[in-house]
Amino acid sequence: QVQVMESGGGLVQAGGSLTLSCTVSGVTFEDNVMGWFRQAPGKERKEVSCINGRGRNTYYINSVKGRFTISRDTAKKTLYLQMKSLEPEDTAMYYCAAVPKWADCVLSAPFEFNYWGPGTQVTVSS
């Protein structure tokens, strides 16, 4: 049984930092492209960043480039999202997702990912 679990969300002031973590079990971690998505109230869930199985290819949406860093630790089966210079517009539920494939990651829609965590809330106050 595949399990995905995010942690690390919270309330932070604008300009602050948070690091999200996502642990995965039940799959061969390095065989999966991993992604972070976010969904604000009343809006669609959209990809923020992704990383390929070996961690050598990453993708970021323009609004987080230079502020967010995605990484993965195969030994710990854990995905990370370091978030700096947070803005109120970053407020959302953040989801970790996995899809078993050997490929570079690109901008993807939620339906392209197989496994999801329940999400962790990030709130940035102004």
Side-chain angles (χ1 to χ4, degrees):
Q1 183 178 0
V2 180
Q3 292 188 325
V4 180
M5 183 61 65
E6 307 92 341
S7 62
L11 173 64
V12 63
Q13 289 187 332
S17 301
L18 281 175
T19 296
L20 306 183
S21 299
C22 169
T23 57
V24 182
S25 62
V27 296
T28 303
F29 186 63
E30 57 268 34
D31 288 348
N32 283 260
V33 168
M34 299 296 300
W36 285 103
F37 288 74
R38 67 186 180 187
Q39 186 169 18
K43 296 189 176 181
E44 294 182 351
R45 187 175 302 189
K46 293 186 177 181
E47 187 176 53
V48 174
S49 180
C50 63
I51 187 168
N52 73 343
R54 294 181 181 239
R56 296 175 182 172
N57 160 256
T58 59
Y59 167 83
Y60 300 93
I61 58 172
N62 286 337
S63 61
V64 307
K65 283 181 181 177
R67 300 190 299 121
F68 290 12
T69 302
I70 191 170
S71 61
R72 61 192 297 162
D73 185 325
T74 297
K76 295 182 178 179
K77 292 189 175 183
T78 302
L79 177 73
Y80 302 98
L81 186 67
Q82 294 178 290
M83 305 185 294
K84 301 179 180 179
S85 302
L86 283 161
E87 303 169 353
E89 292 74 22
D90 296 316
T91 295
M93 185 71 79
Y94 282 71
Y95 298 91
C96 173
V99 55
K101 66 175 180 179
W102 277 101
D104 286 348
C105 70
V106 295
L107 177 64
S108 302
F111 75 85
E112 297 180 69
F113 280 75
N114 294 38
Y115 308 113
W116 292 85
T120 186
Q121 177 67 38
V122 172
T123 303
V124 184
S125 63
S126 58

